[in-house]
């Protein structure tokens, strides 16, 4: 399973790169706004900086703002031309699906975002999306089961033979990452807090403290 970070913050992306386990980055308009990146020129410059920071063969999802077919196609092409890492992130709307089909024909990789049902995931795959992003945290927030949706999409893709990768998004915790992997996600995109949370176990801390104490004791005696 691939590990992506869900942020537009360059320091956090650098931290994930340095950890040595990063496969890519996803962003969205809210995350770009959070970093204070505004205006198309600055937005494109920031995407290029992210691509250069993560290095070769790392997917960077850059989301279109346009919601009409022509606008999505034009904006998506500008994003794709920026860097070979770019995956054009397109919302799950009628014109978005049409644009994903166009991009698939043109050899431009896409991430179909804002997916909340198995039917939406099927349509995105049929249109030729490279990734589909079910938002598991937001589904849990309204009292449904995000992980169950990942399992269902995985089952459907196996049954139908669609090759679209399931990118579990809106991850809130380390447990979400583990459960998404068990449910068949091909990738997860998560905040650094959830990614770093995978490191933690109290028995690891206790065990390491004991190893070091025993080593120190023995070496003092020697
Ligand atoms: C996915 O690509 C989105 O950027 C993201 O995962 C949304 O997460 P949120 O629900 O925490 O905003």
């Amino acid at each position: 399973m691939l590990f992506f970070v869900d942020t537009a913050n360059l320091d956090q992306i650098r931290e994930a790169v340095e950890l040595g386990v990063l496969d890519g980055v996803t962003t969205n308009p809210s995350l770009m706004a959070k970093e204070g990146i505004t205006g198309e020129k600055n937005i494109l410059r920031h995407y290029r900086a992210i691509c250069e920071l993560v290095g070769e063969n790392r997917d960077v999802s850059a989301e279109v703002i346009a919601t009409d077919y022509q606008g999505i196609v034009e904006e998506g092409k500008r994003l794709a031309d920026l860097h070979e890492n770019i995956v054009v992130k397109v919302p799950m709307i009628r014109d978005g699906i049409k644009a994903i089909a166009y991009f698939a024909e043109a050899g431009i990789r896409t991430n179909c975002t804002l997916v909340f049902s198995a039917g939406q995931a099927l349509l995105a795959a049929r249109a030729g999306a490279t990734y589909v992003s079910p938002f598991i945290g937001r589904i849990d927030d309204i009292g449904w089961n995000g992980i169950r949706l990942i399992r269902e999409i995985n089952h459907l893709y196996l049954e139908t033979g669609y090759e679209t990768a399931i990118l579990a998004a809106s991850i809130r915790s380390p447990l979400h990452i583990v459960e998404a992997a068990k449910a068949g996600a091909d990738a997860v995109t998560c905040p650094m807090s959830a990614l770093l949370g995978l490191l933690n176990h109290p028995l690891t801390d206790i065990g390491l403290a004991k190893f070091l104490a025993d080593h120190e004791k023995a070496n003092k005696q020697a």
Side-chain angles (χ1 to χ4, degrees), residues 6 26-28 31 89 111 113 133 135 138 169-172 189:
D6 194 30
T26 58
T27 61
N28 62 40
L31 293 171
K89 201 171 178 191
N111 173 355
T113 189
S133 288
F135 278 32
R138 292 193 196 186
S170 187
I171 295 271
R172 300 279 157 76
T189 186

Side-chain angles (χ1 to χ4, degrees), residues 1-207:
M1 189 180 72
L2 302 176
F3 282 79
F4 294 178
V5 283
D6 194 30
T7 181
N9 182 285
L10 295 180
D11 290 334
Q12 287 183 15
I13 296 169
R14 191 173 297 108
E15 191 183 353
V17 169
E18 284 170 4
L19 192 60
V21 296
L22 189 69
D23 296 299
V25 176
T26 58
T27 61
N28 62 40
S30 303
L31 293 171
M32 293 293 273
K34 194 172 160 195
E35 297 307 313
I37 317 292
T38 54
E40 187 169 11
K41 220 168 139 189
N42 291 329
I43 289 173
L44 294 180
R45 192 180 302 134
H46 196 74
Y47 281 137
R48 195 178 297 114
I50 294 175
C51 290
E52 283 164 9
L53 183 56
V54 296
E56 283 175 17
N57 300 320
R58 303 281 187 274
D59 288 348
V60 175
S61 284
E63 188 159 343
V64 296
I65 303 299
T67 54
D68 64 292
Y69 173 70
Q70 208 51 47
I72 295 172
V73 166
E74 282 163 19
E75 200 182 338
K77 281 183 183 167
R78 285 198 294 279
L79 289 167
D81 281 348
L82 266 185
H83 196 282
E84 58 191 14
N85 287 359
I86 292 286
V87 175
V88 180
K89 201 171 178 191
V90 180
M92 165 42 77
I93 54 176
R94 188 179 179 131
D95 281 26
I97 285 297
K98 202 171 152 187
I100 287 171
Y102 168 86
F103 289 133
E105 279 289 316
I108 294 173
R109 294 176 306 138
T110 53
N111 173 355
C112 184
T113 189
L114 291 166
V115 166
F116 295 92
S117 76
Q120 290 178 326
L122 269 183
L123 198 56
R126 174 64 187 84
T130 313
Y131 292 100
V132 67
S133 288
F135 278 32
I136 67 176
R138 292 193 196 186
I139 292 173
D140 288 357
D141 289 346
I142 60 159
W144 292 3
N145 188 328
I147 294 297
R148 190 183 302 152
L149 177 61
I150 301 289
R151 200 173 297 119
E152 198 180 355
I153 297 171
N154 183 45
H155 176 74
L156 284 173
Y157 283 3
L158 287 173
E159 286 294 317
T160 55
Y162 286 130
E163 288 178 358
T164 297
I166 304 170
L167 171 47
S170 187
I171 295 271
R172 300 279 157 76
S173 66
L175 185 62
H176 261 161
I177 298 175
V178 173
E179 291 299 322
K182 280 160 63 181
D186 299 289
V188 284
T189 186
C190 43
M192 273 309 278
S193 56
L195 181 58
L196 294 175
L198 291 173
L199 287 166
N200 300 333
H201 197 289
L203 290 179
T204 304
D205 301 337
I206 293 167

